[in-house]
Amino acid sequence: MPNWAVASPSSLYLRNPACVQDSMLKSSTIRTARSRTSGAYGLNSTRRRLLTRKAHAPSGGPHPFKYSPSVLLAGFAVGIISTSIVDLHDPAASFTHRPIRADSSESNSWTDNIPYIGGWGRGNEDKHESTTVEDADTSQKTSGLQEPPPQTRVVSESGEEATPETLPSSWDGFTGSLTTASKSVTSIGDTIVDYIVPDWFKIIPGFLNKLQNELSMAPGSLAEEIWYEANDPEINPEIIWDAVVRVSNDICTEEKAFLEKRRVHTRRAISKYLGLAERDIHPEDIPTIAMCGSGGGLRALVAGSSSYLSAHEAGLFDCVTYTAGVSGSCWLQTLYYSSVAGRSHQKLIDHLKNRLGVHIAFPPAALPLLACAPTNKYLLSGLVEKSKGIPDADFGIVDVYGLLLAARLLVPKGELSVDEYDFKVSNQRRYIDDGSHPLPIYTAVRHEIPLAEQADMKDPIAASAKARREAWFQWFEFTPYEFWCEELEAGIPTWAIGRKFENGKTVWRQNGLALPELRVPLLMGIWGSAFCATLSHYYREIRPIMRGLAGFGGIDQLISERDEELIKLHPIDPAGIPNFALGMRDVLPASCPESIHKTANLQLMDAGMSNNLPIYPLLRPGREVDILIAFDASADVKTDNWLKVADGYARQRGIKGWPIGAGWPPSDASQQEIAQDLEAAQAKSDEDATAKMDEAKRIQRRHEAKKNATVNEELGYCNVWVGTTEERTSDSEPPSSKRVEEDWELMQPNAGITVVYFPFVSNPKVDGVDPKKSDFMSTWNFVYTPDQIDSVVSLARTNFQEGKEQTRRTVRAVYERKKAKRLEREAEEKRHRRQWKIRRGTMGRKLGEGDHGDHFS
């Protein structure tokens, strides 16, 4: 590293030491200018004064190494290794699962128990002094401006970097000194070691030591390079773009422009898919088709890739305007819009065969990617930027989980071909801006437990109970254009995710720059963080295993009675993203919970906690989806009716056209409904006892008939429902939608949203694979062999073929319905114009006739 110092980089700085020294001699003030232009890539014209910091050379020897995020990574990567293996000298050392706070100063932090690899012990911190340039005015500070960590690269004459200790950051807490340990695996004989630890474990100390050095922020280290580039607008141009919170329930301008361009491509695709001439297709007749995949980990990723590939081969995928995902389907979209798959689902499946044969946390596979170039820089950039740029950043298992996922999924088989553009969601605009590909929608949820709203209640127990009853999930969506929440009716540009906001505006750091966009690895961890589930979700996962235990019935009943409380408790804290809604109480809807106005970070998790199908974003006003095609690879595809869960959402939001009651039929009649009917039939006197008894028998027979009619009813491989747009004049429950059996049902003038549902179920045409019985299809399995991938691909492909023609007929019917409505509307408009001309007396005249002449004409 050259022995010179510069302020935080911008487009005005050169990396030539001579140029920098000359610039520093000429002026003690360095300003960066932003030219304000319109559009998403506009630059801020505000000129901001940068600060420089001086540092004296450290006097106490070399800069002490400090442990880095790699410690947490390694600990999780080895599968939470038992304490006896972690440190054979200290059996008491252990890991805990408590998510850490990056800037924590607690002495009992879990990182204190991780062995320190290397010869450096705890040492006294070098004391440095920091000064600003002479004319820097620090008396006035922008409201909400955080105290940032140092943004300059200052080195001493000996070439070592000095960091002022007066500005604490989350990086200091994250890389705190740890207990010393031997550099070797153990001090006992090598012969014994060979028997008690695997060979791959012996290489871990070397990788940890390398990671420790790279993340030490010493001059020339990887972390120092990452942080330097994080402040370089030539590499991360978004750090000088001004962002504001957009408060609106409408879709953003960029998405509207996308829809116009996408319609050109879907018109051509529809003509091929339906066998029509492109010139005969009116743009208004083209149905807006959305395709979504469910959650379900790698099972959803592999099965969804096959389903999408089948749809693409049939010509259907090219007709799609939106794709949406939950959990594993979000990973699918991420890979599809990366250089790994190259917008090809077949290449994506081939990539999965190359990468899923090894567990994401297997150390010999994960650690080299995180410790060696070029992959380590791209994988660790988000972690370094978050910890250095946000003093109060939270770190936990989700952050490490995202790193491991990205190392396994975003890195191709040829590791040298990793592409830096794959690590920002906003970079996916290069594939969709021209409308050539569908717009991907990624989802996450925030669990709102409104304790603050019950603060005025005198009984704290009653207040807590009421809060738990009224808890709900808030949905957040990510697109390459915007990060948005429907409940808040507000969002920010995707490239601004990760920076702080206050009063709807960007909070610039002291150097006048913002943080780069939050990286994809951290987002992948959030989208797939099913382990952040509530205790109720955890119990539902293990409930089938516990059925065979003695006394299970009593335990199950006891736990079921406490489900309302278990569903509000999260053993593992979700990851946090800076809250962009702070200070916006006056402009956000009154229905926003109180916690939104107070919490610094939005804790987001896997959207499957609320609904394992991303239906809600696709029902958003402005998207006007006509056909929703859902590929459901959920583990509980029959027991948890995710389509029916959307009924309450549609009623609450007043969405017209949703097919109420769509989804799997109930296995038996509702016992609560039977009890209510029987209670209503109770005799009120001796005189009507006989009549009421007969009525009760009829009610019982009716429910038995309903049970017999539905218990054997099973959904097929392809199922279609259609809603209605009719206005109801009564408050009674609307009748459930029936599955479409004839195409004419889709062409009714009052037909609403059409749902095409493909459940991922076993098929007798594919032997040896059953999503409910095959162990490798568990949501928690992270290893798929090529043969297992082929079996999943084959099953998903076969199931799609079962409904291929029915889906085509459905699209044709919706197209014909829209065409008929347009022709009817045009005929009505023509009739009104004709009547208007008759009233004016201009009917049948040519231009110029009847508007001149004398009174004899």
Side-chain angles (χ1 to χ4, degrees):
M1 183 63 61
N3 192 16
W4 46 275
V6 297
S8 299
S10 72
S11 58
L12 300 180
Y13 297 128
L14 301 175
R15 297 193 180 184
N16 187 328
C19 296
V20 174
Q21 291 174 359
D22 181 67
S23 175
M24 294 176 63
L25 291 174
K26 291 182 179 179
S27 173
S28 61
T29 303
I30 300 176
R31 302 175 184 272
T32 179
R34 303 184 184 91
S35 59
R36 186 182 302 277
T37 60
S38 60
Y41 295 95
L43 303 181
N44 189 345
S45 63
T46 305
R47 300 178 63 87
R48 298 182 179 274
R49 181 175 291 109
L50 300 180
L51 304 181
T52 61
R53 300 183 183 276
K54 300 178 181 179
H56 297 292
S59 58
H63 192 283
F65 289 154
K66 294 184 179 180
Y67 239 95
S68 60
S70 58
V71 174
L72 177 59
L73 170 64
F76 188 79
V78 297
I80 313 301
I81 300 175
S82 61
T83 57
S84 60
I85 297 180
V86 171
D87 189 356
L88 297 177
H89 299 292
D90 184 10
S94 63
F95 294 103
T96 68
H97 294 278
R98 180 178 65 86
I100 64 172
R101 188 167 184 85
D103 60 341
S104 173
S105 59
E106 300 178 17
S107 59
N108 61 345
S109 172
W110 72 273
T111 54
D112 290 336
N113 295 327
I114 302 177
Y116 182 81
I117 308 299
W120 301 104
R122 281 193 177 93
N124 295 329
E125 295 291 332
D126 298 325
K127 297 182 179 181
H128 312 291
E129 59 181 11
S130 61
T131 59
T132 65
V133 291
E134 296 178 358
D135 58 344
D137 183 8
T138 59
S139 61
Q140 296 180 355
K141 294 185 179 181
T142 306
S143 175
L145 186 64
Q146 63 173 339
E147 288 295 329
Q151 308 301 324
T152 58
R153 300 205 305 175
V154 181
V155 293
S156 64
E157 295 180 358
S158 61
E160 296 177 352
E161 183 179 21
T163 303
E165 67 179 25
T166 57
L167 292 175
S169 69
S170 59
W171 183 261
D172 300 325
F174 198 82
T175 59
S177 299
L178 304 173
T179 57
T180 59
S182 174
K183 292 183 179 181
S184 62
V185 177
T186 179
S187 59
I188 60 179
D190 292 338
T191 302
I192 301 178
V193 170
D194 292 338
Y195 283 104
I196 62 177
V197 297
D199 292 338
W200 58 259
F201 187 78
K202 300 176 184 179
I203 68 174
I204 290 181
F207 280 116
L208 292 183
N209 196 33
K210 180 176 176 58
L211 274 170
Q212 174 187 325
N213 296 338
E214 292 290 4
L215 294 174
S216 64
M217 287 303 294
S221 66
L222 174 66
E224 194 265 353
E225 179 184 354
I226 291 174
W227 187 234
Y228 183 86
E229 293 185 356
N231 292 275
D232 188 345
E234 293 182 355
I235 299 175
N236 297 287
E238 69 271 16
I239 65 177
I240 59 174
W241 297 344
D242 194 10
V244 297
V245 178
R246 187 181 71 91
V247 181
S248 173
N249 201 31
D250 197 7
I251 58 178
C252 64
T253 304
E254 293 84 356
E255 185 173 338
K256 293 178 180 178
F258 159 81
L259 291 176
E260 292 295 326
K261 296 179 180 178
R262 182 59 181 167
R263 194 170 289 114
V264 176
H265 292 267
T266 55
R267 180 184 181 183
R268 185 182 308 114
I270 283 286
S271 68
K272 295 180 180 179
Y273 183 62
L274 299 180
L276 303 173
E278 184 177 348
R279 63 178 180 275
D280 297 335
I281 298 179
H282 193 282
E284 294 184 16
D285 302 341
I286 303 174
T288 300
I289 304 176
M291 186 174 289
C292 66
S294 70
L298 295 186
R299 180 188 62 253
L301 171 60
V302 178
S305 299
S306 178
S307 299
Y308 281 26
L309 173 61
S310 302
H312 190 275
E313 293 174 343
L316 175 61
F317 188 81
D318 292 333
C319 305
V320 171
T321 301
Y322 294 101
T323 62
V326 169
S327 188
S329 295
C330 287
W331 305 340
L332 189 164
Q333 295 179 147
T334 303
L335 295 177
Y336 178 79
Y337 289 100
S338 70
S339 61
V340 170
R343 279 71 60 206
S344 168
H345 294 107
Q346 182 59 59
K347 290 183 179 179
L348 173 54
I349 293 174
D350 294 338
H351 168 71
L352 296 179
K353 290 182 180 180
N354 292 327
R355 302 296 293 173
L356 295 187
V358 179
H359 196 283
I360 64 170
F362 186 54
L367 288 178
L369 297 177
L370 294 169
C372 302
T375 54
N376 58 350
K377 179 179 178 180
Y378 303 126
L379 294 172
L380 297 173
S381 290
L383 196 62
V384 174
E385 292 163 358
K386 179 179 178 181
S387 58
K388 285 289 292 182
I390 305 177
D392 56 348
D394 292 334
F395 289 91
I397 294 180
V398 178
D399 299 271
V400 180
Y401 177 59
L403 288 177
L404 298 175
L405 281 173
R408 182 77 354 222
L409 298 178
L410 276 182
V411 176
K413 184 178 181 180
E415 299 165 359
L416 295 179
S417 60
V418 62
D419 191 347
E420 62 177 327
Y421 285 96
D422 297 340
F423 290 81
K424 290 183 181 180
V425 174
S426 64
N427 286 340
Q428 296 175 4
R429 293 185 57 166
R430 55 182 173 161
Y431 305 125
I432 64 174
D433 272 346
D434 61 353
S436 58
H437 294 276
L439 176 67
I441 301 175
Y442 307 86
T443 59
V445 295
R446 174 178 178 267
H447 201 180
E448 170 62 30
I449 304 178
L451 287 171
E453 279 74 357
Q454 280 75 44
D456 56 342
M457 297 182 63
K458 297 182 179 179
D459 187 355
I461 298 179
S464 178
K466 183 178 180 181
R468 284 194 291 268
R469 288 195 303 270
E470 297 177 357
W472 73 93
F473 289 98
Q474 297 171 329
W475 278 69
F476 288 78
E477 64 175 55
F478 306 74
T479 72
Y481 299 126
E482 193 173 40
F483 171 49
W484 192 80
C485 177
E486 180 182 19
E487 189 166 337
L488 305 182
E489 296 183 2
I492 58 175
T494 300
W495 46 261
I497 301 176
R499 67 176 64 180
K500 288 195 172 185
F501 286 83
E502 186 168 323
N503 300 322
K505 299 179 181 179
T506 296
V507 177
W508 299 101
R509 292 184 292 144
Q510 189 172 351
N511 64 350
L513 304 175
L515 285 177
E517 175 186 343
L518 196 65
R519 306 285 175 164
V520 165
L522 301 183
L523 292 177
M524 290 181 69
I526 292 175
W527 296 333
S529 56
F531 49 81
C532 292
T534 63
L535 288 177
S536 176
H537 287 87
Y538 275 108
Y539 177 68
R540 280 193 292 178
E541 286 288 335
I542 66 174
R543 189 170 182 265
I545 305 176
M546 297 178 60
R547 289 183 183 274
L549 299 179
F552 170 74
I555 298 175
D556 183 63
Q557 181 179 0
L558 178 64
I559 296 178
S560 299
E561 293 174 353
R562 311 287 294 183
D563 187 68
E564 289 188 359
E565 296 183 9
L566 297 179
I567 204 170
K568 312 302 185 299
L569 301 176
H570 296 269
I572 301 176
D573 287 341
I577 291 179
N579 181 10
F580 61 80
L582 287 177
M584 301 185 65
R585 184 188 299 270
D586 296 336
V587 295
L588 295 181
S591 59
C592 289
E594 182 66 22
S595 60
I596 284 292
H597 306 296
K598 295 181 178 180
T599 182
N601 295 318
L602 299 170
Q603 287 192 315
L604 303 181
M605 69 189 83
D606 192 322
M609 302 299 101
S610 174
N611 192 326
N612 215 34
L613 286 174
I615 297 173
Y616 307 152
L618 298 175
L619 301 182
R620 177 179 171 184
R623 290 181 173 151
E624 310 301 333
V625 172
D626 298 303
I627 304 175
L628 192 156
I629 302 175
F631 294 101
D632 191 358
S634 303
D636 43 11
V637 66
K638 291 185 179 181
T639 56
D640 284 345
N641 193 343
W642 299 115
L643 286 177
K644 187 171 178 57
V645 171
D647 291 355
Y649 175 88
R651 294 191 189 98
Q652 182 182 11
R653 297 294 194 273
I655 297 173
K656 297 180 181 179
W658 175 256
I660 300 297
W664 290 88
S667 59
D668 54 10
S670 170
Q671 297 300 319
Q672 183 178 2
E673 181 182 355
I674 295 175
Q676 292 175 351
D677 288 347
L678 292 177
E679 182 180 356
Q682 293 297 317
K684 305 244 181 346
S685 63
D686 295 337
E687 288 77 11
D688 62 349
T690 302
K692 290 295 183 181
M693 180 64 68
D694 294 337
E695 183 178 355
K697 291 179 180 180
R698 288 194 299 270
I699 291 174
Q700 186 70 28
R701 287 195 298 268
R702 184 171 67 248
H703 283 290
E704 288 295 333
K706 180 179 178 181
K707 176 179 179 180
N708 294 332
T710 59
V711 69
N712 294 323
E713 183 182 358
E714 291 287 340
L715 297 186
Y717 301 107
C718 177
N719 311 273
V720 181
W721 293 271
V722 61
T724 178
T725 57
E726 284 185 340
E727 295 284 350
R728 295 190 59 82
T729 57
S730 65
D731 297 333
S732 60
E733 183 75 10
S736 298
S737 300
K738 296 181 180 180
R739 275 190 292 167
V740 173
E741 298 180 356
E742 300 292 339
D743 295 344
W744 62 265
E745 299 178 54
L746 298 167
M747 301 177 64
Q748 296 296 317
N750 58 359
I753 300 173
T754 301
V755 174
V756 183
Y757 179 66
F758 286 89
F760 188 56
V761 293
S762 60
N763 192 315
K765 296 181 180 179
V766 182
D767 296 330
V769 55
D770 187 342
K772 292 189 68 66
K773 297 179 180 179
S774 301
D775 293 337
F776 72 90
M777 285 198 192
S778 168
T779 303
W780 309 105
N781 176 41
F782 286 94
V783 177
Y784 275 66
T785 65
D787 290 340
Q788 291 172 340
I789 292 177
D790 284 336
S791 64
V792 175
V793 168
S794 177
L795 179 59
R797 183 187 290 272
T798 303
N799 287 354
F800 180 83
Q801 293 298 324
E802 298 283 352
K804 175 181 176 181
E805 293 305 319
Q806 183 180 5
T807 304
R808 193 189 308 272
R809 294 196 306 269
T810 299
V811 175
R812 179 61 182 265
V814 175
Y815 164 79
E816 295 292 348
R817 185 188 76 212
K818 296 192 69 173
K819 180 179 178 180
K821 292 181 68 175
R822 176 183 60 82
L823 294 176
E824 181 181 356
R825 185 182 68 253
E826 291 177 350
E828 185 68 14
E829 293 174 353
K830 184 177 180 180
R831 185 177 64 84
H832 282 297
R833 287 195 301 269
R834 184 174 181 276
Q835 292 178 349
W836 179 72
K837 289 181 179 180
I838 292 176
R839 287 195 298 267
R840 292 191 59 188
T842 59
M843 185 65 184
R845 295 179 180 176
K846 297 182 180 179
L847 183 63
E849 289 185 357
D851 56 356
H852 62 279
D854 52 24
H855 60 285
F856 296 106
S857 298

